[in-house]
């Protein structure tokens, strides 16, 4: 008789465990189950998802604005953006402790005073090669190709 009581208890416990497992996973239907909240329900200020097309590669007929470029000034040297699209906005990040300029060697294609931090200037609209320098530090030189 003891054996049947243990078997009955074990079956009862196993059945209870299955019921609990199913109710915790949403496997049972009824008024006690709910769907997972959506992103906007979890984060009411979250922007709605959009389906904007992916950016196209340069030169494929895209009518978007000129691609942006970036120049880093670090250790009294220009680094990065050697090429830019005509009329592109070029961001300059000056990590040195002193101000610098990015001044075209000839003409007045561009002349930007870049303080410590971040500044910008606009690339020339005419394609070509534009050597430049820093007015404050004669050893600083770079070249910007606009194409």
């Amino acid at each position: 008789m003891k054996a049947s009581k243990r078997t009955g208890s074990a079956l009862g416990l196993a059945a209870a465990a299955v019921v609990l497992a199913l109710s915790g996973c949403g496997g049972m239907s009824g008024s006690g189950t709910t769907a997972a909240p959506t992103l906007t329900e979890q984060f009411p200020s979250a922007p709605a998802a959009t389906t904007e097309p992916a950016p196209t590669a340069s030169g494929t007929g895209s009518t978007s604005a000129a691609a942006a470029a970036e120049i880093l000034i670090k250790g009294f040297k220009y680094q990065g953006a050697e090429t830019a699209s005509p009329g592109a906005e070029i961001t300059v990040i000056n990590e040195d402790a002193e101000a610098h300029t990015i001044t075209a060697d000839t003409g007045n294609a561009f002349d930007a005073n870049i303080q410590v931090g971040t500044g910008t200037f606009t690339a020339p609209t005419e394609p070509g090669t534009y050597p430049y320098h820093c007015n404050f530090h004669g050893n600083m030189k770079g070249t910007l190709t606009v194409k």
Side-chain angles (χ1 to χ4, degrees):
M1 185 70 112
K2 281 189 172 185
S4 65
K5 280 189 177 180
R6 285 186 189 160
T7 304
S9 300
L11 287 177
L13 287 174
V18 169
V19 170
L20 286 174
L22 289 176
S23 65
C25 293
M28 295 179 59
S29 62
S31 62
T33 60
T34 58
T38 64
L39 181 62
T40 53
E41 289 170 336
Q42 291 176 2
F43 306 99
S45 63
T50 59
T51 56
E52 295 179 23
T56 60
S58 171
T60 59
S62 173
T63 58
S64 64
E70 186 175 283
I71 296 174
L72 171 66
I73 300 174
K74 185 175 183 177
F76 292 82
K77 293 180 182 176
Y78 298 112
Q79 302 171 30
E82 296 175 3
T83 305
S85 300
E89 181 175 2
I90 300 176
T91 300
V92 183
I93 301 168
N94 180 2
E95 291 186 355
D96 286 341
E98 296 183 35
H100 296 288
T101 70
I102 294 184
T103 305
D105 286 355
T106 58
N108 59 354
F110 51 89
D111 185 8
N113 188 359
I114 310 298
Q115 298 299 318
V116 175
T118 303
T120 62
F121 73 98
T122 303
T125 56
E126 291 296 318
T129 302
Y130 297 86
Y132 61 88
H133 63 276
C134 175
N135 284 334
F136 307 137
H137 310 99
N139 62 319
M140 292 179 63
K141 298 182 183 303
T143 301
L144 178 67
T145 301
V146 176
K147 60 179 179 177

